[in-house]
């Protein structure tokens, strides 16, 4: 028994103490037996009797010492011992089958299990924290840990019952037992700390067991993910589509500025048209497979999601190449094609989100109905893209097709406004008021275009209108999400819906006029434009309710615009000087292959900084020309006019170019000195390209199309775009080469292989956590950028 107790004790010092005290007890007993034999029958022998009494006292002392040591041992703690037994019994229950409701899915239990394991990790850390601060309060936390493990076991049994994959079920069972063992170690070490608060050894053991809980939970989560490959593929696809949508938006900005040109003189739209149409038709079949995959297995859903993402990537590339092949002279057609392609990607992202939520659900579940609606929107957007491609070379029908596409995009924006998904950004009342300006301009333009009905003007109206209404509704949702009361939120959303409804009626009427002019429809234009104006007034009133009295306008937008532009130019010049003195890091003789790439990176980065510097200087000259021509009059404090808003937009765009260029220089410096990565450099170059496109669009809103400043702006913008593309290509090629050359050593031992697999799963979870943190950081940065631009 004593040896058994010692074997259950982890501390070597305590083991030796138990064994030594047991040895002392045995020796005392042997001494007692010898003394009893010597004193037996000799009651008058005083020496023998004294020896016998002393031996008896030694036995009592040895028993007392051993009993105290055993009772202070963690395995002998009544409360801790019972909790350990409870966990052991629960772990054995994982193998018992469990009946679940037919409408329950593996994904539901996966989400609940993930939440439970997070609580368990937090709980183990809390226990560790209390051990170093107030060990007397550990026991309630231990009982909470046991309760969470009980929940984990029951939901693991349900998840096993919901999955049809035997290997996944086996991994879940095994990992659940491992989590239980780790929790038992935490309880044993925590009770030891509670009994011996000053013992540093037990505190170290508790820290190690707490880390072990996190590691075993990571293994458990990896097993869960293996059982939901389909939903994970949907999440990965949504992330990829977000990047594609952003890329299409950037390309649209270049197209709107008239700087999207073909790759070569022989490049024609007809070469890309068939590719776009073929990929669009393939998406219809892929959409059907994704919808059916939601009701099938995770493996089927994963394959369907991966296939539709590959087709989407090919369609996006073909759409951008086709738009470029149309030439800068047909920028309205370019924007229309890119916007139609973007609508397909947006609908696809919503489809994958709905598929993820509906995976494993019954046909009667409300999530299945939402999936059907998302599939319908997806098919509609594909049909719209096909019509756009077919009519891209038919200028007589392009305007009407553009209006149809704008109406369909408006319907999608309305659904996004009404969806329960939280907004991707924050917005204030000031943002909301600024967003109404574009609606007012588009409405006035719509009345004018409804009179002339020229195809080019119809296409331009459709493109600007869909952008204006999309921005307004997105701002409405963000502002409503941050409202102080539910009443304010509903007021903003309803005002946005009213604007969308009235504007849709106006666009539909203009489309009908473009197909067949009638006196009645033409007479409706003033009334419909007035309805839009009234709806916009409601939005402004709702914004007034949100903002209260917090409203600040620049007193002199002309001076502020020029100062900010000059400051941006100065910042870019300083960054260029810093970059010019950089040299590629010296490398060993056996690593000369890296040196040419470093030099290539530096040259490309220098080209970008030079081009952005020239661009900002051109923008400064354009702003000065407007002021000298009397087209930019200073507004009075408290007033808002078109030029002041343009000046503010110019300031923001210039600052974005300056900040992006500085970030690019830092990324190039970090890369060539060995402290950076190609991914950061690629992201910085793309940021420069996007901010440059925004600055181009802002400058050309009020500039003279035939002026010399416009030509310089276009040349500078093209230089930035080409330099950024060269830098991205170089960095991506280097990253691909590095990835191909990387060799992962594999252990030939079974235990080593298992350890490698656990480490790989741990690395995946850490990277996913880092990715989530990076996304939240990006959202906060964007929100801060918007707040700074408005302040």
């Amino acid at each position: 028994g004593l040896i058994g107790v010692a074997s259950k004790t982890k501390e070597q010092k305590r083991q030796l103490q138990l064994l030594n005290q047991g040895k002392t007890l045995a020796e005392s007993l042997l001494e007692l037996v010898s003394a009893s034999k010597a004193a037996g029958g000799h009651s008058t022998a005083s020496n023998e009797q004294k020896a016998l009494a002393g031996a008896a006292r030694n036995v009592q002392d040895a028993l007392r010492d051993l009993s105290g040591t055993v009772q202070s041992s963690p395995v002998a703690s009544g409360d801790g011992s019972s909790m350990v037994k409870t966990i052991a019994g629960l772990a054995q229950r994982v193998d018992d089958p469990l009946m679940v409701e037919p409408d329950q899915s593996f994904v539901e239990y996966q989400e609940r299990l993930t939440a439970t394991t997070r609580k368990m990790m937090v709980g183990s850390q809390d226990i560790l924290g209390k051990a170093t601060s107030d060990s007397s309060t550990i026991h309630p936390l231990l009982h909470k840990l046991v309760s969470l493990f009980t929940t984990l076991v029951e939901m693991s049994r349900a998840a096993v019952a919901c999955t049809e994959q035997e290997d996944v079920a086996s991994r879940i069972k095994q990992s659940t037992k491992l989590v239980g063992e780790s929790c038992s170690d935490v309880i044993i070490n925590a009770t030891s700390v509670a009994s011996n608060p000053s013992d540093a050894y037990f505190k170290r053991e508790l820290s190690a067991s707490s880390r072990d809980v996190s590691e075993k939970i990571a293994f458990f989560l990896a097993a869960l993910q293996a059982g939901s490959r389909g939903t994970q593929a949907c999440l990965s696809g949504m992330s990829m589509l977000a990047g594609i949508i952003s890329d299409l938006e950037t390309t649209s900005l270049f197209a709107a500025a008239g700087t999207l040109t073909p790759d070569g003189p022989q490049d024609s739209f007809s070469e890309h048209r068939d590719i776009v149409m073929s990929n669009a038709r393939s998406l219809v079949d892929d959409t059907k497979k994704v919808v059916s995959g939601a009701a099938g297995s995770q493996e089927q859903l994963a394959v369907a999601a991966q296939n539709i993402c590959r087709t989407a990537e090919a369609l996006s590339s073909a759409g951008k190449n086709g738009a470029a092949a149309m030439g800068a002279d047909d920028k309205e057609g370019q924007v229309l094609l890119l916007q139609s392609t973007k609508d397909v990607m947006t609908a696809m992202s919503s489809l994958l989100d709905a598929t993820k939520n509906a995976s494993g659900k019954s046909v009667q579940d409300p999530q299945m109905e939402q999936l059907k609606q998302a599939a319908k929107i997806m098919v509609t957007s594909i049909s719209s893209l096909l019509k756009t491609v077919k009519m891209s070379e038919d200028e007589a029908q392009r305007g009407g097709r553009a209006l149809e596409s704008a109406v369909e995009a408006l319907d999608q924006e309305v659904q996004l406004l009404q969806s329960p998904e939280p907004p991707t950004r924050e917005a204030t009342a000031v943002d909301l008021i600024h967003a109404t300006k574009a609606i007012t301009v588009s409405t006035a333009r719509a009345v004018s275009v409804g009179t002339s009905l020229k195809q080019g003007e119809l296409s331009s109206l459709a493109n600007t209108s869909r952008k204006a209404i999309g921005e307004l509704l997105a701002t409405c949702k963000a502002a409503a999400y941050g409202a102080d009361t539910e009443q304010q939120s509903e007021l903003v959303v309803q005002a946005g819906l009213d604007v969308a409804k009235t504007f849709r009626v106006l666009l539909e009427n203009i489309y009908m006029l473009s197909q067949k002019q009638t006196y009645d429809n033409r007479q409706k234009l003033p009334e419909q434009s007035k309805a839009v104006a009234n709806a916009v007034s409601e939005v402004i009133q709702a914004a007034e309710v949100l903002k209260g009295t917090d409203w600040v306008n620049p007193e002199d937008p002309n001076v502020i615009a020029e100062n900010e532009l000059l400051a941006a130019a100065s910042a870019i010049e300083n960054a260029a000087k810093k970059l010019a003195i950089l040299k590629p890091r010296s490398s060993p003789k056996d690593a000369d292959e890296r040196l040419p790439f470093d030099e290539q990176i530096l040259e490309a980065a220098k080209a970008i900084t030079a081009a952005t510097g020239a661009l900002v200087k051109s923008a400064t000259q354009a702003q000065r020309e407007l002021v000298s021509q009397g087209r930019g009059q200073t507004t009075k404090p408290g007033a808002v006019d078109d030029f002041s808003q343009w000046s503010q937009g110019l300031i923001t765009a210039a600052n974005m170019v300056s900040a992006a260029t500085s970030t690019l220089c830092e990324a190039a410096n970090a890369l060539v000195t060995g402290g950076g990565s190609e991914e950061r450099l690629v992201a910085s170059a793309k940021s420069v390209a996007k901010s440059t496109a925004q600055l181009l669009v802002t400058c050309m809103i009020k500039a003279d199309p035939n002026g010399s400043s416009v030509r310089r702006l276009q040349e500078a913008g093209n230089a930035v775009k080409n330099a950024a593309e060269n830098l991205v290509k170089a960095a991506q090629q280097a990253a691909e080469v590095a990835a191909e050359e990387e060799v992962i050593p594999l252990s030939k031992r079974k235990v080593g292989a298992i350890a490698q697999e656990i480490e790989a799963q741990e690395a995946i979870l850490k990277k996913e956590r880092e990715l989530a943190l990076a996304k939240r950081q990006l959202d906060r940065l964007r929100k801060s950028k918007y707040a700074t631009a408005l302040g």
Side-chain angles (χ1 to χ4, degrees):
L2 181 61
I3 296 177
V5 172
S7 65
K8 296 293 184 179
T9 303
K10 291 185 177 182
E11 187 185 6
Q12 185 179 9
K13 179 180 178 181
R14 188 175 291 273
Q15 286 180 335
L16 292 175
Q17 184 181 11
L18 285 171
L19 294 175
N20 287 331
Q21 287 177 345
K23 179 182 177 182
T24 301
L25 177 61
E27 292 174 347
S28 300
L29 289 173
L30 179 61
E31 182 184 359
L32 178 63
V33 171
S34 298
S36 298
K37 182 179 180 182
H42 304 283
S43 58
T44 59
S46 59
N47 292 332
E48 285 76 5
Q49 292 296 329
K50 289 181 180 179
L52 178 61
R57 286 194 298 271
N58 290 338
V59 170
Q60 291 177 346
D61 293 339
L63 284 171
R64 188 182 303 107
D65 293 341
L66 180 61
S67 176
T69 302
V70 171
Q71 289 178 357
S72 65
S73 177
V75 296
S77 174
D79 195 21
S81 178
S82 64
M83 286 188 284
V84 170
K85 291 180 181 179
T86 300
I87 288 180
L90 289 170
Q92 296 301 320
R93 291 187 58 189
V94 177
D95 296 323
D96 297 338
L98 180 68
M99 298 296 295
V100 296
E101 297 294 332
D103 59 342
Q104 297 295 315
S105 66
F106 181 86
V107 177
E108 290 182 358
Y109 287 109
Q110 181 189 25
E111 294 175 353
R112 294 162 61 184
L113 283 166
T114 301
T116 301
T117 52
R118 288 174 181 170
K119 293 179 181 179
M120 293 182 69
M121 286 191 290
V122 172
S124 65
Q125 293 299 320
D126 289 342
I127 292 172
L128 179 60
K130 290 296 184 182
T132 58
S133 60
D134 186 7
S135 59
S136 62
T137 59
I138 286 180
H139 285 86
L141 296 177
L142 296 178
H143 285 289
K144 182 180 179 181
L145 184 63
V146 174
S147 176
L148 289 172
F149 184 73
T150 303
T151 304
L152 180 73
V153 169
E154 295 304 317
M155 286 193 294
S156 296
R157 294 173 61 198
V160 168
C162 290
T163 183
E164 298 177 357
Q165 304 177 53
E166 292 296 332
D167 58 331
V168 173
S170 177
R171 288 183 61 183
I172 291 175
K173 293 177 182 178
Q174 182 63 27
S175 57
T176 302
K177 293 177 181 179
L178 291 176
V179 172
E181 292 176 2
S182 299
C183 291
S184 296
D185 291 340
V186 168
I187 292 173
I188 292 173
N189 291 315
T191 52
S192 298
V193 171
S195 302
N196 304 275
S198 60
D199 196 323
Y201 173 81
F202 284 129
K203 291 183 179 180
R204 290 195 300 270
E205 287 295 302
L206 178 59
S207 177
S209 59
S210 179
R211 288 194 302 270
D212 189 57
V213 168
S214 299
E215 293 174 0
K216 295 303 188 295
I217 286 177
F219 188 75
F220 177 82
L221 293 175
L224 286 180
Q225 290 182 355
S228 58
R229 288 190 60 234
T231 54
Q232 292 298 321
C234 290
L235 291 172
S236 300
M238 291 168 63
S239 177
M240 186 200 75
L241 288 172
I244 292 177
I245 291 172
S246 178
D247 192 23
L248 288 171
E249 289 176 346
T250 302
T251 307
S252 297
L253 290 174
F254 279 106
T259 57
L260 185 63
T261 56
D263 294 334
Q266 305 299 326
D267 195 13
S268 63
F269 175 72
S270 58
E271 297 177 0
H272 305 282
R273 177 182 56 196
D274 294 338
I275 301 177
V276 173
M277 296 182 69
S278 175
N279 284 303
R281 293 191 181 101
S282 298
L283 276 182
V284 177
D285 296 332
D286 292 338
T287 299
K288 295 178 181 177
K289 293 178 181 178
V290 168
V291 174
S292 61
S297 65
Q298 287 289 312
E299 187 67 28
Q300 292 174 335
L301 179 57
V303 173
Q306 292 167 0
N307 288 338
I308 199 172
C309 289
R310 280 194 292 267
T311 307
E313 195 170 11
L315 176 62
S316 172
S317 178
K320 290 189 294 183
N321 293 334
M326 296 173 73
D329 295 337
D330 189 13
K331 62 181 182 180
E332 299 298 342
Q334 289 179 324
V335 173
L336 176 60
L337 178 58
L338 291 170
Q339 291 288 0
S340 298
T341 308
K342 176 193 166 186
D343 291 341
V344 173
M345 301 303 155
T346 303
M348 190 185 305
S349 180
S350 300
L351 174 67
L352 291 179
D353 186 38
T355 303
K356 172 182 67 71
N357 296 331
S359 177
K361 301 291 180 63
S362 63
V363 180
Q364 293 78 19
D365 194 278
Q367 296 290 349
M368 280 295 184
E369 185 62 29
Q370 294 184 12
L371 175 59
K372 293 178 182 177
Q373 293 297 326
K376 290 180 181 178
I377 296 174
M378 179 68 181
V379 173
T380 301
S381 63
I382 294 174
S383 301
S384 177
L385 175 61
L386 290 172
K387 292 179 183 178
T388 300
V389 173
K390 291 178 181 178
M391 296 182 181
S392 293
E393 297 178 333
D394 186 2
E395 295 185 2
Q397 298 293 328
R398 183 180 297 171
R401 174 82 282 276
L403 288 172
E404 281 186 312
S405 178
V407 171
E408 292 168 357
L410 190 151
D411 292 338
Q412 289 189 24
E413 296 292 345
V414 168
Q415 290 187 352
L416 288 176
L417 176 61
Q418 295 177 316
S419 67
E421 296 295 326
T424 57
R425 64 179 189 184
E426 288 184 352
T428 62
V430 177
D431 297 324
L432 196 55
I433 294 176
H434 285 174
T436 61
K437 181 67 176 180
I439 299 294
T440 303
V441 173
S442 297
T443 303
R445 188 176 181 186
V447 175
S448 176
V449 173
T451 304
S452 64
L453 296 175
K454 295 180 180 179
Q455 292 297 318
E457 293 180 353
L458 288 173
S459 298
S460 179
L461 171 66
N463 292 332
T464 56
S465 296
R466 68 188 295 166
K467 181 179 179 180
I469 198 69
E471 178 64 22
L472 175 66
L473 295 185
T475 306
C476 283
K477 182 167 186 176
Y481 196 79
D484 295 333
T485 64
E486 185 68 24
Q487 183 179 3
Q488 292 179 352
S489 177
E490 293 176 355
L491 182 64
V492 172
V493 171
Q494 187 58 48
L497 292 174
D498 291 341
V499 172
K501 180 179 178 181
T502 55
F503 204 86
R504 188 182 194 279
V505 172
L506 178 61
L507 290 180
E508 287 179 336
N509 188 28
I510 295 175
Y511 171 74
M512 293 173 63
L513 285 170
S514 68
Q515 303 301 310
K516 182 180 180 180
Q517 299 187 38
T518 62
Y519 177 80
D520 291 339
N521 286 340
R522 191 179 296 276
Q523 291 299 113
K524 291 179 181 178
L525 287 176
E527 179 182 349
Q528 291 168 346
S529 63
K530 184 178 180 181
V532 175
N534 292 335
V536 169
S537 299
E538 293 177 0
V539 173
I540 295 176
Q541 292 174 6
E544 293 289 342
V545 175
L546 287 178
K547 74 179 182 67
T549 59
D550 186 15
W551 176 262
V552 179
N553 259 349
E555 295 183 358
D556 193 348
N558 292 332
V559 175
I560 294 176
E562 183 168 352
N563 290 340
E564 292 289 342
L565 284 169
L566 292 174
S570 176
I572 291 175
E573 289 177 358
N574 292 335
K577 291 177 181 178
K578 178 181 178 182
L579 189 62
I581 64 176
L582 292 178
K583 299 295 182 182
R585 67 182 183 275
S586 59
S587 54
K589 293 183 179 180
D590 58 348
D592 288 340
E593 295 179 358
R594 182 69 180 178
L595 187 57
F597 171 69
D598 288 346
E599 294 176 344
Q600 183 181 3
I601 290 298
L602 284 177
E603 290 302 320
K606 291 175 183 178
I608 292 178
T609 54
T612 51
L615 176 63
V616 174
K617 289 180 180 178
S618 298
T620 307
Q621 185 61 34
Q623 197 269 348
R624 286 175 176 171
E625 288 181 6
L626 287 175
V627 176
S628 64
Q629 294 170 4
R631 298 169 61 185
Q633 301 298 327
T634 302
T635 58
K636 296 179 180 179
V640 180
D641 62 3
D642 185 63
F643 187 81
S644 64
Q645 288 195 353
W646 175 82
S647 298
Q648 188 64 37
L650 193 62
I651 293 170
T652 303
N655 287 333
M656 289 174 62
V657 173
S658 174
T661 306
S662 299
T663 303
L664 174 67
C665 293
E666 294 174 359
N669 183 22
L671 182 63
V672 300
T673 55
S677 63
E678 288 83 2
E679 290 79 6
R680 183 185 176 190
L681 190 66
V682 169
S684 301
K686 289 184 177 180
S687 178
V688 170
K690 187 169 183 177
S691 58
T692 298
Q694 292 176 343
L695 180 59
L696 274 175
V697 173
T698 304
C699 290
M700 297 187 66
I701 289 176
K702 284 187 168 294
D704 183 6
N706 300 319
S708 59
S709 61
V710 171
R711 290 193 298 271
R712 290 195 298 271
L713 279 172
Q714 290 178 338
E715 293 173 358
N718 283 328
V720 175
K721 177 176 177 289
N722 294 332
E725 289 177 350
N726 292 335
L727 182 58
V728 170
K729 289 179 182 178
Q732 288 177 340
Q733 289 173 359
E736 291 173 358
V737 171
E740 292 175 356
E741 294 177 351
E742 184 178 1
V743 178
I744 301 176
L746 299 177
S747 175
K748 296 181 179 180
R749 300 173 59 188
K750 183 176 180 181
V751 176
I754 295 175
Q756 282 186 323
E757 180 181 355
I758 293 175
E759 291 174 356
Q761 295 291 351
E762 178 185 5
I764 291 173
L765 291 169
K766 288 182 178 178
K767 293 298 183 183
E768 289 177 347
R769 184 168 62 252
E770 292 174 1
L771 177 60
L773 291 173
K775 287 182 177 179
R776 289 197 293 270
Q777 179 68 10
L778 178 60
D779 288 340
R780 288 195 292 269
L781 288 174
R782 288 176 174 171
K783 294 171 184 176
S784 177
K785 178 184 68 176
Y786 291 140
T788 303
L790 292 172

